[in-house]
Amino acid sequence: MFRKKKCIGEVTTRYFRKMLNMEKQKHPINKYLQSNNSNLTSPNITKSGTNTIVEFNHSLKLPVPEKDSNSLSASLLDDILYTNVFNDDIGDNNCDIHDDIDSDDNSSKIIESFNIEDELRSWVLKFKVSHNSANCILGIIKSAGINVPKDIRTLMKTPTTHVISNIDQGSYIHLGLENMILPILKKYDSLIYTPNKVLKIGINLDGLPLSRSSKSQLWTILIEFTNCNLLSGYVLPIGIFHGNSKPKSIHEFLNPFLSDILTLLNCGLNVNGNIYQFEVGHVLCDSPAKSFLLNVKSFNAYFGCTACTQEGSYINNRMEFLEIESLLRTDKSFRSKTQEEYHKGSSPLELLPIDMINDVCIDYMHNVCLGVTKRLIEFWVRGKKDVRLIDENKVPSEFIRLPRGLDDIEFYKATELRMFVIHSGLIVLKGNLSKQMYSHFKLFVCALRILITPDICQTFNNLAQSLLNEFVTQYSSLYGAHFVTYNVHSLLHLPMYVKVHGCLDNFSCFKYENYLQFIKKSIKSAKYPLQEVTNRIIEKQNYFITNDIVLDPIVIVKEIINNTSSPYFCLADRLYEKIFIKELKVTININNKRDKYIMLKNNDIVVVNNIVKPQNELGFKLIVQKCLNSSSLFTEPIESSIIGFLTVNPIILSKIFPL
């Protein structure tokens, strides 16, 4: 296995001095500079790591070992999710290597391939260092006699000019579809395996306010690859608009992008002699952006549902959708504008060869997490007495992000709400919510667990549909008919989109929202936000083009010294306290109860005692014990083991065996 080269911000003082000495040998320096080398010091380094909880979910299952296999081989991980420079937030915290057992020989090998300019570029991008700070560091390094550029813009190859269009009382930069896709395909061309070289593209359009003290905002057009695991970690910006309001004309805003994508869909793209064809996989937006993109009435209008033709009722200053079954919209009815009350005009998406209903999806991040789940918690904490929690004081200590209490519910992020509704909610609320409310919430959780689990989302799709129908039916009687708003009503249509696109995580906005945060953090000055964001994007692309692919399916986070032997490993084997499996996005930590329990594909739950790298073998070996006493958490409305909910006695364990 290749040892990953350490980032300049993570090395020890001794190691940093070795790198400086190697650079000095490459470049002639005068005696004055040599005499002042002793004044150099490295920054203080603080090591940290982020743990990922292994939930008992079918989507995070490890394979069951065969009878003649005793190692967790890297061959099990064929389609690897690689660390990439376009998205720092995906697995970045889990992939840092802190190995304190490096020998001087290993350090010398790394120093030989060390390039200080590459390391500085990586440091600037990883920690989003401002240009002023980077220029200061360059000055310090240059004073030590090392030949580096004087200005960070030279090092990062920052563009000096931009092509900016003035549209709709704002400014627009078009980065270009081919310009953003081609570098990635060229780098991964030999590793991409898709049927007939067809790549499906997901499209996202969203607004991003830049501050609370002004109306300044960005509107972005982002894409991703939806049918290739190797490329699924990348989110690519294609066009960015800046102004004090959203673009007035959706047609003018999307015109450059539509021109690009129609060319791509019709002609494909030649990469190293291979012709890649493209299709549109899905279009994802939140509800306001979706109405803007489709050029239809808002979600809170009488005919606001984008999936069915139901007419809403205006009750207590809210638009409610009380019917369970309504006539569904179709691609044909949308394009022919059968329901005139729904349309405001033609949509630019009608130019694309897509299904205007099935391919323009409902996003569960906004609909389920920030919509329905957040509203339910608000009912239980601040609603009427008959729906409140029985004992509020027991709940906050159970939430995933402590010490965040229920009083902060209006500040909860979508990931916190997702954790609550998918994983911890049923445990937290048991005994704290009335039986009627708890049973109602259980319908919601069971349906979502089915739709979010890849292995069962199609098999049990009809069951999820019936559970959601019952949930929405009871919702009006428990909380009031005037609270059956667009978000609650849209739950009825989620199973339909899962049938077309697979589990809910295949078409969610979490990835796009993470990228928007990168864009927002890239802006250091409010004077030229559009140019600044574009510079950071192009700098990342330039760094990506010049760096090699790192094939590292299992990342070592922390190694421990092996002073013992056992029937399953010897003194020559290497032991690890913590590893991160990229494809499964799972951290295994033998010293943390949250991260030492894993579920196998046969639903067995095991506790990991040792992580072993055999001396003369590839891959890793897990030394585990099976939990012998496990049972379903509940049996109604479905058997909880189907959706990955089990109760386990961690004391009753089997004999130790290798996995």
Side-chain angles (χ1 to χ4, degrees), residues 304-505:
C305 180
T306 56
C308 71
T309 60
Q310 181 179 162
E311 181 179 1
S313 303
Y314 196 67
I315 306 174
N316 291 352
N317 299 319
R318 291 182 177 88
M319 188 61 64
E320 316 306 331
F321 300 89
L322 302 176
E323 298 177 17
I324 300 300
E325 295 184 2
S326 299
L327 180 65
L328 296 177
R329 301 187 190 278
T330 64
D331 180 62
K332 183 178 179 180
S333 68
F334 184 96
R335 293 177 184 271
S336 61
K337 299 177 177 54
T338 302
Q339 191 177 55
E340 295 180 357
E341 301 90 341
Y342 173 63
H343 296 269
K344 295 167 66 176
S346 61
S347 169
L349 291 185
E350 294 180 47
L351 298 174
L352 299 178
I354 62 172
D355 188 308
M356 295 296 295
I357 305 302
N358 290 337
D359 291 338
V360 185
C361 307
I362 293 174
D363 166 50
Y364 92 96
M365 189 195 92
H366 292 95
N367 172 250
V368 173
C369 301
L370 293 171
V372 179
T373 304
K374 189 173 184 178
R375 175 55 63 91
L376 285 174
I377 297 176
E378 288 174 344
F379 281 141
W380 299 331
V381 176
R382 299 171 185 169
K384 296 179 180 179
K385 281 189 175 182
D386 57 342
V387 299
R388 282 188 193 174
L389 293 168
I390 296 173
D391 186 356
E392 290 183 29
N393 294 327
K394 291 184 181 179
V395 178
S397 62
E398 303 293 339
F399 274 59
I400 185 62
R401 291 195 181 186
L402 300 177
R404 207 168 170 95
L406 290 179
D407 290 339
D408 296 327
I409 179 61
E410 63 267 26
F411 303 111
Y412 272 36
K413 301 297 184 183
T415 50
E416 295 174 89
L417 294 165
R418 182 186 188 275
M419 177 68 187
F420 178 83
V421 69
I422 299 297
H423 301 289
S424 62
L426 286 180
I427 309 300
V428 167
L429 296 174
K430 191 172 185 179
N432 295 323
L433 204 60
S434 68
K435 289 185 178 180
Q436 187 179 17
M437 297 288 179
Y438 185 76
S439 298
H440 180 247
F441 180 65
K442 196 187 292 184
L443 295 171
F444 184 43
V445 174
C446 290
L448 291 179
R449 293 279 297 197
I450 290 172
L451 297 179
I452 208 169
T453 306
D455 294 344
I456 61 175
C457 65
Q458 301 293 350
T459 309
F460 293 94
N461 190 278
N462 292 334
L463 175 59
Q465 182 71 70
S466 63
L467 293 175
L468 289 175
N469 288 350
E470 184 63 24
F471 175 79
V472 175
T473 301
Q474 294 182 20
Y475 195 97
S476 59
S477 59
L478 290 175
Y479 301 105
H482 57 292
F483 286 111
V484 185
T485 56
Y486 171 81
N487 282 331
V488 178
H489 169 76
S490 293
L491 295 176
L492 301 173
H493 303 305
L494 281 180
M496 176 185 74
Y497 290 103
V498 169
K499 283 183 179 180
V500 177
H501 300 283
C503 69
L504 290 177
D505 282 328

Side-chain angles (χ1 to χ4, degrees), residues 142-153:
K142 200 170 182 67
S143 68
I146 298 175
N147 185 19
V148 293
K150 184 177 180 180
D151 195 289
I152 190 64
R153 290 173 292 185

